């Protein structure tokens, strides 16, 4: 460009880019000087105000280079030029600004209020912090994974959003002695959480609270008192296996092992099972598993794939009387029930006789089985294995009987005798008895 050339193009070439200074203004500090000899100061500098407040600010220029008088100055807020009627000239070097009913800051690092020269160059800047003081945090909950650590989460005050950077600190100490400690690993399980990885005491209660602080004030939660032994959780039960129960078409067997991380501690455990069919998202929960490490699911659909999960609640750790905390669910394990060999509805099957509901085949057959044992067998080692053998034989007998029926007809009157259980050799052998005549 030739020396001495002036005009809009030349001014545009000399104008510094505005985007980067605006982004860094409240991070690196508001500039106190513009280009060349332009010197200006904004007052008040970096104020903190409540939402709804008003602001009276001034931009004062020192020196009298061309374009640096108050009449040539203007204001921007977050890069947007403010209306001229919001400003007024106090004297040749000072431009005043009046803002009313301020909204919360758009960014937690502060809103950028900038004073510009006539050519657009930045003379001075200030950060506006407009927001609310923090409110009292609440709903503190904590858990210990295998008694080796402690993780806590909490809920911010009622409003939550303060429009200002708010710092949350989790504090803890032993109840009767010891000094205050501050948790250091934040955001481990969410935005308002902290993890204490080690150096925790057992058999002694802890006091735990949360402090919230920002530029407008501070707030402290209520104190939570807890014993590590009362908030123990563990890993999900490992080695979950799901398998068929012989040829039983409506049952699956679920087996698992206790969480190994707690095997050296005195504790009890209760378990929950949930299961769903392959093409569904709805889980059914079995609550009454107690402290067993196996369970049989009954009343299932034949020929159907099921997904099964197990979780654990350790309680009574070293005699604690508090309930434990449920673990996460184990990874889903899948298995399928055998396909039914019985004809379905409309397939020639007859309605149950004697008014028995068709919804209770397991209970009806169990009643028949126990009645037969009472009358014809004296077996001290009654077990599910014996019952499974009996049910498998019943299904096989039912299938054979249906093959000899005339399609669409029911068995004759003497068919009632054939449906009753004979002394099948397998059952008699299981009880240590010799086969006898059919009943």
């Amino acid at each position: 460009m030739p020396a001495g050339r002036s005009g809009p193009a030349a001014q545009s070439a000399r104008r510094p880019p505005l985007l980067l200074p605006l982004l860094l203004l409240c991070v690196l500090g508001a500039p106190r000087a513009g280009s060349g000899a332009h010197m200006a100061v904004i007052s008040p500098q970096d104020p903190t105000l409540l939402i709804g407040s008003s602001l009276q600010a001034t931009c004062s220029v020192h020196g009298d280079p061309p374009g640096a008088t108050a009449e040539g100055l203007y204001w921007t807020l977050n890069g947007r030029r403010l209306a001229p009627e919001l400003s007024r000239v106090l004297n040749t070097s000072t431009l005043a600004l009046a803002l009313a009913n301020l909204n919360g800051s758009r960014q937690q690092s502060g809103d950028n209020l900038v004073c510009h020269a006539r050519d657009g160059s930045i003379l001075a800047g200030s950060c506006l912090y407009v927001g609310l003081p923090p409110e009292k945090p609440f709903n503190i909950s904590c858990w210990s994974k295998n008694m080796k650590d402690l993780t806590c989460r909490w809920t911010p005050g009622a409003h939550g959003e303060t429009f200002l950077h708010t710092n949350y600190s989790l504090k803890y100490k032993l109840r009767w002695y010891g000094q205050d400690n501050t948790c250091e690993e934040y955001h481990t399980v969410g935005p308002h959480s902290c993890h204490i990885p080690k150096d925790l005491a057992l058999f002694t209660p802890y006091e735990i609270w949360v402090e919230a602080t920002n530029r407008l004030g501070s707030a402290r939660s209520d104190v939570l008192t807890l014993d590590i032994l009362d908030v123990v959780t563990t890993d999900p039960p490992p080695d979950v296996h799901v398998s068929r129960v012989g040829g039983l078409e409506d049952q699956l067997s679920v087996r698992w092992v206790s969480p190994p991380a707690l095997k050296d501690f005195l504790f009890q455990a209760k378990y929950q099972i949930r299961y769903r069919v392959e093409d569904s998202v709805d889980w059914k929960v079995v609550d009454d598993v107690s402290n067993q490490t196996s369970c049989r699911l009954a009343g299932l659909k034949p020929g159907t794939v099921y997904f099964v999960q197990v979780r654990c609640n350790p309680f009574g750790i070293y005699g604690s009387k508090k309930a434990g905390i449920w673990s996460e669910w184990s990874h889903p394990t899948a298995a399928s029930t055998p396909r039914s060999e019985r004809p379905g509805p409309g397939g020639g099957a007859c309605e149950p006789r004697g008014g028995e509901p068709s919804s209770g085949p397991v209970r009806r057959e169990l009643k028949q089985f126990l009645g037969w044992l009472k009358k014809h067998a004296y077996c001290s080692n009654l077990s599910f294995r014996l019952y499974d053998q009996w049910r498998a034989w019943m299904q096989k007998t039912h299938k054979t009987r249906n093959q000899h029926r005339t399609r669409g007809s029911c068995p004759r009157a003497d068919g009632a005798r054939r449906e009753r259980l004979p002394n099948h050799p397998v059952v008699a052998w299981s009880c240590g008895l010799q086969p006898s005549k059919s009943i």
Side-chain angles (χ1 to χ4, degrees):
M1 178 181 298
R5 184 175 177 179
S6 61
Q11 293 179 4
S12 177
R14 293 193 303 268
R15 187 173 301 163
L18 297 180
L19 180 60
L20 185 59
L22 287 176
L23 291 176
L24 300 180
L25 184 62
C26 289
V27 178
L28 300 180
R32 298 297 187 271
S35 59
H38 299 339
M39 298 291 293
V41 174
I42 291 180
S43 180
Q45 185 65 43
D46 303 339
T48 301
L49 304 167
L50 283 169
I51 291 177
S53 300
S54 298
L55 173 67
Q56 301 288 331
T58 58
C59 177
S60 300
V61 180
H62 300 280
D64 55 351
T69 62
E71 294 182 352
L73 306 181
Y74 66 91
W75 297 91
T76 63
L77 181 62
N78 291 329
R80 300 185 64 177
R81 186 163 180 167
L82 297 177
E85 55 266 25
L86 298 177
S87 305
R88 64 188 181 94
V89 176
L90 297 182
N91 52 52
T92 58
S93 62
T94 303
L95 181 67
L97 173 69
L99 297 176
N101 195 23
L102 292 171
N103 295 321
S105 296
R106 296 183 183 179
Q107 49 196 21
Q108 292 189 344
S109 59
D111 289 337
N112 300 316
L113 180 65
V114 179
C115 177
H116 296 266
R118 185 190 303 272
D119 62 359
S121 60
I122 296 175
L123 299 179
S126 176
C127 289
L128 301 186
Y129 299 96
V130 184
L132 299 168
E135 296 190 15
K136 178 180 176 180
F138 64 100
N139 196 28
I140 304 175
S141 60
C142 304
W143 61 94
S144 175
K145 191 71 169 290
N146 302 323
M147 295 189 294
K148 297 180 179 179
D149 61 3
L150 188 68
T151 302
C152 298
R153 63 158 58 103
W154 61 90
T155 303
H159 291 90
E161 177 60 71
T162 63
F163 300 95
L164 302 174
H165 174 71
T166 302
N167 182 63
Y168 292 91
S169 297
L170 180 79
K171 303 291 185 68
Y172 63 100
K173 70 173 183 178
L174 292 172
R175 184 175 185 179
W176 293 298
Y177 56 91
Q179 60 183 4
D180 292 0
N181 299 283
T182 301
C183 183
E184 297 181 356
E185 297 183 10
Y186 290 89
H187 312 299
T188 52
V189 293
H192 301 105
S193 64
C194 197
H195 176 239
I196 305 170
K198 58 182 179 179
D199 298 331
L200 292 168
L202 301 179
F203 308 106
T204 303
Y206 275 94
E207 292 183 348
I208 300 173
W209 66 95
V210 176
E211 296 177 357
T213 306
N214 66 17
R215 298 173 70 95
L216 284 172
S218 62
R220 172 173 166 161
S221 72
D222 293 334
V223 176
L224 172 68
T225 302
L226 61 82
D227 192 315
I228 301 298
L229 301 181
D230 295 336
V231 292
V232 177
T233 187
T234 187
D235 300 308
D239 300 328
V240 177
H241 297 280
V242 184
S243 58
R244 295 181 178 182
V245 183
L248 300 184
E249 61 209 23
D250 64 338
Q251 299 189 19
L252 288 174
S253 175
V254 186
R255 294 179 292 106
W256 61 92
V257 298
S258 298
L262 295 177
K263 65 181 180 179
D264 296 329
F265 300 101
L266 298 175
F267 78 103
Q268 295 175 323
K270 54 185 177 181
Y271 299 93
Q272 274 187 346
I273 297 175
R274 71 177 184 179
Y275 62 95
R276 64 174 176 85
V277 297
E278 183 179 19
D279 56 352
S280 173
V281 295
D282 297 325
W283 294 90
K284 293 184 179 180
V285 178
V286 181
D287 286 316
D288 55 350
V289 183
S290 186
N291 62 347
Q292 305 175 67
T293 55
S294 65
C295 182
R296 182 174 297 186
L297 304 178
L300 306 178
K301 297 179 181 179
T304 304
V305 176
Y306 283 87
F307 288 92
V308 181
Q309 292 178 295
V310 185
R311 66 176 181 174
C312 173
N313 185 335
F315 67 97
I317 301 288
Y318 286 137
S320 169
K321 299 185 182 301
K322 296 288 186 69
I325 298 176
W326 286 106
S327 71
E328 298 294 330
W329 290 100
S330 64
H331 293 296
T333 303
S336 63
T337 52
R339 293 190 177 277
S340 176
E341 296 181 349
R342 303 183 183 186
C350 296
E351 293 294 331
R353 289 193 295 276
E356 293 181 72
S358 59
S359 62
V362 175
R363 177 174 294 184
R364 182 174 66 252
E365 292 176 355
L366 180 59
K367 184 178 179 181
Q368 293 174 353
F369 170 65
L370 294 177
W372 178 84
L373 282 180
K374 181 177 180 182
K375 187 174 182 180
H376 295 278
Y378 303 92
C379 182
S380 59
N381 59 342
L382 180 63
S383 64
F384 269 114
R385 180 180 179 186
L386 177 60
Y387 173 60
D388 295 341
Q389 292 172 338
W390 180 83
R391 284 208 63 203
W393 179 87
M394 285 286 290
Q395 292 176 6
K396 182 177 180 180
T397 303
H398 189 88
K399 178 182 178 183
T400 304
R401 183 168 58 251
N402 286 333
Q403 291 175 350
H404 292 286
R405 290 178 181 172
T406 303
R407 184 175 182 180
S409 64
C410 291
R412 295 172 300 177
D414 61 348
R417 177 174 295 275
R418 292 198 301 268
E419 290 188 0
R420 298 179 66 185
L421 176 67
N423 254 339
H424 188 262
V426 174
V427 176
W429 179 84
S430 297
C431 288
L433 303 175
Q434 295 296 324
S436 59
K437 294 182 180 180
S438 300
I439 59 176

